[in-house]
Structure formats: C-alpha cells, structure tokens
Amino acid sequence: MESTAAHSERVPLLLSLLQLMALVWLVLNTWLAWTQIGPVGLSEPTDGSWMALSAFILLFLGVVCPLFLSGSRGALSSGFFVLALLIVAGVAALFIAPTERTMGIIQRIFYVHLPSAAAGGVALLTSVFANIAYLTRRSAKWDWLGVSAAEVGVVCFTCMLVTGPIWAHPVWGFWWDWDPKLTSTFVLWVMYLVLLFLRTLIEDPQRRAIASAVFGIFAFLDLPIVYMSNRWWRGQHPSPVLAGGPNSGLAPMMKYVLFTCMAAFIGLVIILIRQRYRLEAARHDVEEMKIEAQLKAADREAR
C-alpha cells in the first residue's frame, strides 16, 4: 500500500492540467498587458499594466514552484506567492480600481464575483478531466482529483451566487431573478451539490467513483451553457464585459484590477485543490488500513 507521502509527492503531476491552463491564461494576459504599455516601455508605464504584469509573475511563481520544489518547500513557496497575490488583488480592488460612475462603490464586488466564477470554472474543468481519466484508466487517484476539484468548484460558485445578489439588490431593486444566466448557474451549483451528496450514499469505493465520474461529466455539460447564456439569450443579468459585443468592455484600470483578481483566485484554487487532494489520499489510506485491520482480526478469529 502506498503511503500518503507518496501520494502527496505525485500531486503536482496530477494537477498538471490545471497548472497548464493557468499558465496559458498567464501568457495570454501577459501579452495583453504588454501591448497596453505602449512605446514608453516598462520603466515608465502609462496605465495599470505594471499591476497586471506583477500579478501574472506572482501567479507564475505560485504555479511552477511545486513543479520544481518537492514536499513542504514547494507548498510553502507556492502559498507565499499566492498570499502576496491575494493581498495585491485586495488592495487593488478596494483602493486602486476607479469607482464606477453609475453604480458607485457597490460595483467593487465585481472583483470578487467574476473571479470566483472564473476560478470555479477552472476547478470544474479539472474535475471533469479527472472524471474522464478515471473512466478510461480506473485509477483511484483520478477519483480523488475529481472530487477534490468538484468541492473547490462548489465553494467558488457559492461565493459567486452569494456576491451576485448582494450586488443586485441595490442595483436592480431585488435580490434574484430567474433569468437564463442566474438559472443555469443555480442548476450547475445544485448538480454538483447532488454529486457530493451522492458520494456519501455509496459505500463501495469503485462503484462510488464510477457513479461520481458519470454524474460529474453530465453536470459539467451545464458549464458551457452558463458561460454562453447571456450571449445567447437576453435577461436581467448584464452582458459580458470580456469577449462580449461591440459595446462591451472595461476601463483600462478596471481591466487590470480584474486580471489581478482573477490571477489571485486561480492561484488560490490551485492550492486548495492540491491540499484537498492530499486529504483524499490520506482518507483512502485510512480506509485501507481499517480494511486490513478487519481482515487480520477475522483471520485471528478463524484460527
């Protein structure tokens, strides 16, 4: 039986997909920030590009350190860089981002609301990848990664569903509206809660993993609908501010603060999934030790 320490050493490899997505996102947005700096160069930035670049550098360090540093050193260094990034993001959202002209200070919750959704999407994408990997390889480590990422994704979408109504009440005059965006997001959140509850009802580990993987793939099908809903249908929810229509977009400083917050939340999600995976590996070891102890006890009684 492999020890939990052995599982922990393998965590960075299991999270390679999540880290790859974070790094691709890092490269794309670093390029975007670089093009906004203009001919004056890095020494004399004319806008908030320096903030976005700093955020992406911190995210890069937080993501790659566990790949090159093993054990507690990698986890400690990764946590340090992500903590620094979270502090930068909080200061930027509260004090650097300009106040929106019509909504006022309540708009600042946007810097938690949208990054929560983005980080939750990354977590659920990681979960469905693990679900598919389990069904094809039947290795328990993919089940551990699937449930770990699903739990973190539920936390992220819970944060999004809580912050949304807090923003909506002073702006819309009511807390909730069953428009396509909100409804599809709520359905996604409920389905993943059902997935986590379903796992508690099945005792056999293999049957639990198979049922969880199949249901997880089915639940994930709602995520593209959540992303595209306010592009396909008109509703109460605002139109996309990124990759939206011709009139969409953000003021430059708002954009850089948003990128900084998204980098912080993605870094936090990576750490949370890694730690949750270690917990699931330890739980598996405990279950195996209990079964081994029961078999030994039964063997002694038989003798």
Side-chain angles (χ1 to χ4, degrees), residues 122-132 142 145-147 149-150 192 195 216:
V122 171
L124 296 188
L125 186 60
T126 304
S127 179
V128 75
F129 173 84
N131 296 153
I132 296 172
W142 295 114
L145 180 57
V147 65
Y192 273 93
L195 167 64

Side-chain angles (χ1 to χ4, degrees), residues 33-54:
W34 183 275
T35 59
Q36 295 294 329
I37 292 177
V40 294
L42 286 172
S43 59
E44 300 179 28
T46 57
D47 49 36
S49 301
W50 59 270
M51 182 171 54
L53 287 171
S54 300

Side-chain angles (χ1 to χ4, degrees), residues 25-26 29-30 33 51-61 259 263:
W25 182 85
L26 159 74
N29 286 286
T30 301
M51 182 171 54
L53 287 171
S54 300
F56 303 143
I57 291 171
L58 287 172
L59 176 62
F60 178 81
L61 294 173
F259 287 161

Side-chain angles (χ1 to χ4, degrees), residues 228-302:
M228 297 298 298
S229 56
N230 56 342
R231 292 171 169 84
W232 289 340
W233 305 293
R234 295 184 61 182
Q236 187 71 31
H237 192 279
S239 58
V241 295
L242 298 176
N247 296 324
S248 65
L250 292 170
M253 184 57 72
M254 289 183 176
K255 177 173 62 177
Y256 298 126
V257 172
L258 176 62
F259 287 161
T260 302
C261 294
M262 290 178 71
F265 274 67
I266 289 177
L268 180 61
V269 158
I270 292 173
I271 289 179
L272 290 176
I273 293 178
R274 184 180 294 118
Q275 296 302 320
R276 179 61 182 85
Y277 174 88
R278 289 193 176 102
L279 175 62
E280 195 66 24
R283 179 183 298 175
H284 172 79
D285 287 346
V286 170
E287 289 180 353
E288 286 198 343
M289 286 188 290
K290 286 182 178 179
I291 294 174
E292 185 178 354
Q294 291 173 357
L295 291 175
K296 289 181 178 179
D299 184 60
R300 285 195 300 267
E301 292 179 359

